[in-house]
Amino acid sequence: MEPDSVIEDKTIELMCSVPRSLWLGCANLVESMCALSCLQSMPSVRCLQNTSVMEDQNEDESPKKNTLWQISNGTSSVIVSRKRPSEGNYQKEKDLCIKYFDQWSESDQVEFVEHLISRMCHYQHGHINSYLKPMLQRDFITALPGNCSCLKQLSSGEVLNLMRLRWDQYLFKNRPTDGPPNSFYRSLYPKIIQDIETIESNWRCGRHNLQRIQCRSENSKGVYCLQYDDEKIIRGLRDNSIKIWDKTSLECLKVLTGHTGSVLCLQYDERVIVTGSSDSTVRVWDVNTGEVLNTLIHHNEAVLHLRFSNGLMVTCSKDRSIAVWDMASATDITLRRVLVGHRAAVNVVDFDDKYIVSASGDRTIKVWSTSTCEFVRTLNGHKRGIACLQYRDRLVVSGSSDNTIRLWDIECGACLRVLEGHEELVRCIRFDNKRIVSGAYDGKIKVWDLQAALDPRAPASTLCLRTLVEHSGRVFRLQFDEFQIISSSHDDTILIWDFLNVPPSAQNETRSPSRTYTYISR
């Protein structure tokens, strides 16, 4: 019996002489948990004799047959040409390679494949990369069997967020070595399904864990705007300040001052915070240091809303105008165009690469071209001024002081549905692919079934899934994701409604408990 080191060297030599498509999947072991099983199953190989003749000028002048190898991995086929020994010798050599490879541990297999790849030339690495790309880009959600319907209903972002927040302790650590291959992940699957079903049930039944942040404004109370991520919550207050809170400890980390009026709107990314105020200015702050980087003075009255993305910023004002800005950097922001046409204060704007959408106290929604800034159309239907709006794809959802929410098709301007249920002005609204969440001056937050709302056959009584009552004042702003709602109010609080981490005592509740609250008028 030859020593292991000799066997390994011979195996490497043999595998270097066989078609790369036989072992190419091994390289994916470094990046994918599934690649090992794919490698061990070894895709079927068939030999196709090519009738073309190649001249080998370095060896023999006689023509030699060129053999083509084709391997299918389910998504693509790779055909490569090479010269090799006779069919009988190849089969024995291949079986010997696989035999030894299967006997090694997973770590030894990975080390072996890395050694194998290191012996190849740059040209061969390029072919490996081309082969691996479709394997690494496969959509595992759509490939799931039919009994995984709850996973298929989630967007890719929802799945990734759920993995990150709930299961990273399982998915990003070495799996147990004892037990059959993949048994650990098979045992994890029921927990994943249970989590998804529980979250959806909590949303529909209103079961949640509530956290409350008391903002303790120094003079006038009220949280007008907010945005959050996994680490922090940034909010703008009626007392002219911007405060940054730690999302885990709920402690205030930083207070930004500089505006001389209430902070009415804000948005931030990984570099800057942009705020608009009743002092008519837009300020740009460094998100890490809190330093003021820029102050834009353009609007004549309060800046009511703003949005920025991909080098473009749009602001709107009580002065009835919309300003479109080119945002090359925090310190290089130039005015591109001023849009006029509304007959009252412009309360909200949203945009994408195709359209800018604005809503006003004049009861209308106006659509403008993002590229040319030219007017496109007006959406009419609300009976009073419009306070909030969100636009995505073809859908616009708006809330009004007529106490209703309307869904619109932006391309044809048609109103698709009217949602009724709030008792006062609908102040804030957000939607994703499954639900709409709205907040109003009646102090209530309502959760609506978006898919049902888009179905004209769905009865109006089935559209509102849950009404959440915890704020004791007007709801000014909210944001939500797959697991939580975060809302702010005139009552000087921020509430975190957590539908993922619900205490066991609340799991048996079939509905949200009724509560009384004191309404605070301005």
Side-chain angles (χ1 to χ4, degrees), residues 287-301:
V287 73
N288 297 310
T289 66
E291 176 190 0
V292 178
L293 303 176
N294 204 342
T295 301
L296 306 178
I297 302 174
H298 165 75
H299 289 290
N300 298 321
E301 295 190 63

Side-chain angles (χ1 to χ4, degrees), residues 48-190:
L48 303 176
Q49 295 298 326
N50 191 352
T51 57
S52 63
V53 175
M54 293 181 58
E55 295 292 335
D56 190 340
Q57 299 178 358
N58 295 327
E59 298 180 4
D60 191 5
E61 293 297 324
S62 62
K64 300 196 177 188
K65 287 189 177 180
N66 185 38
T67 304
L68 295 181
W69 295 88
Q70 182 174 4
I71 291 184
S72 173
N73 65 358
T75 57
S76 63
S77 294
V78 178
I79 301 178
V80 295
S81 63
R82 64 173 312 279
K83 294 187 282 274
R84 60 169 180 77
S86 64
E87 182 69 28
N89 290 339
Y90 162 72
Q91 190 62 43
K92 291 179 182 178
E93 293 165 354
K94 184 189 75 170
D95 292 343
L96 181 63
C97 291
I98 297 173
K99 175 183 177 181
Y100 286 117
F101 189 86
D102 288 345
Q103 292 174 357
W104 299 334
S105 67
E106 182 176 322
S107 60
D108 290 340
Q109 289 172 335
V110 171
E111 181 182 358
F112 171 77
V113 172
E114 290 176 348
H115 188 185
L116 192 65
I117 293 173
S118 70
R119 296 168 66 102
M120 303 188 69
C121 67
H122 183 72
Y123 172 79
Q124 292 170 311
H125 291 160
H127 277 279
I128 292 173
N129 184 59
S130 299
Y131 183 86
L132 285 178
K133 271 188 177 180
M135 297 175 66
L136 297 175
Q137 292 173 354
R138 295 183 67 180
D139 183 356
F140 77 94
I141 294 296
T142 58
L144 291 172
N147 61 352
C148 304
S149 57
C150 57
L151 269 179
K152 291 184 177 183
Q153 292 173 1
L154 299 179
S155 68
S156 59
E158 290 172 329
V159 173
L160 290 173
N161 283 337
L162 200 51
M163 290 169 115
R164 174 174 47 80
L165 291 177
R166 193 72 162 179
W167 309 313
D168 62 297
Q169 57 180 315
Y170 305 112
L171 295 178
F172 304 111
K173 293 185 178 180
N174 293 330
R175 72 181 188 188
T177 55
D178 54 333
N182 298 324
S183 62
F184 173 72
Y185 301 109
R186 290 193 185 99
S187 66
L188 180 61
Y189 173 76

Side-chain angles (χ1 to χ4, degrees), residues 447-466:
V447 181
W448 311 80
D449 188 328
L450 175 59
Q451 298 305 318
L454 292 173
D455 183 355
R457 300 167 298 178
S461 59
T462 66
L463 303 182
C464 184
L465 301 176
R466 188 58 47 185

Side-chain angles (χ1 to χ4, degrees), residues 173-317:
K173 293 185 178 180
N174 293 330
R175 72 181 188 188
T177 55
D178 54 333
N182 298 324
S183 62
F184 173 72
Y185 301 109
R186 290 193 185 99
S187 66
L188 180 61
Y189 173 76
K191 300 176 184 176
I192 296 174
I193 298 302
Q194 182 180 2
D195 263 354
I196 294 171
E197 293 175 345
T198 299
I199 291 168
E200 186 61 29
S201 174
N202 290 343
W203 271 99
R204 290 187 170 271
C205 297
R207 292 188 293 262
H208 60 272
N209 180 41
L210 188 69
Q211 293 178 289
R212 187 185 303 268
I213 301 176
Q214 297 288 348
C215 295
R216 300 183 179 88
S217 300
E218 295 182 2
N219 37 55
S220 53
K221 292 184 177 181
V223 184
Y224 280 143
C225 51
L226 65 86
Q227 185 182 337
Y228 71 88
D229 56 38
D230 292 339
E231 288 80 35
K232 60 185 175 296
I233 303 172
I234 300 182
R235 59 181 181 77
L237 285 90
R238 191 180 179 189
D239 68 4
N240 310 348
S241 70
I242 300 110
K243 293 188 177 180
I244 303 175
W245 295 76
D246 183 281
K247 192 168 179 293
T248 302
S249 67
L250 304 185
E251 295 180 357
C252 184
L253 304 176
K254 196 172 297 183
V255 180
L256 312 183
T257 59
H259 279 297
T260 57
S262 300
V263 180
L264 304 178
C265 53
L266 68 82
Q267 183 185 344
Y268 72 85
D269 61 13
E270 66 277 5
R271 297 181 301 275
V272 297
I273 307 169
V274 183
T275 57
S277 168
S278 59
D279 64 11
S280 307
T281 69
V282 174
R283 287 180 180 254
V284 183
W285 317 72
D286 186 294
V287 73
N288 297 310
T289 66
E291 176 190 0
V292 178
L293 303 176
N294 204 342
T295 301
L296 306 178
I297 302 174
H298 165 75
H299 289 290
N300 298 321
E301 295 190 63
V303 179
L304 301 179
H305 201 251
L306 63 85
R307 301 296 297 168
F308 71 87
S309 177
N310 298 324
L312 184 71
M313 180 167 67
V314 181
T315 61
C316 62
S317 170

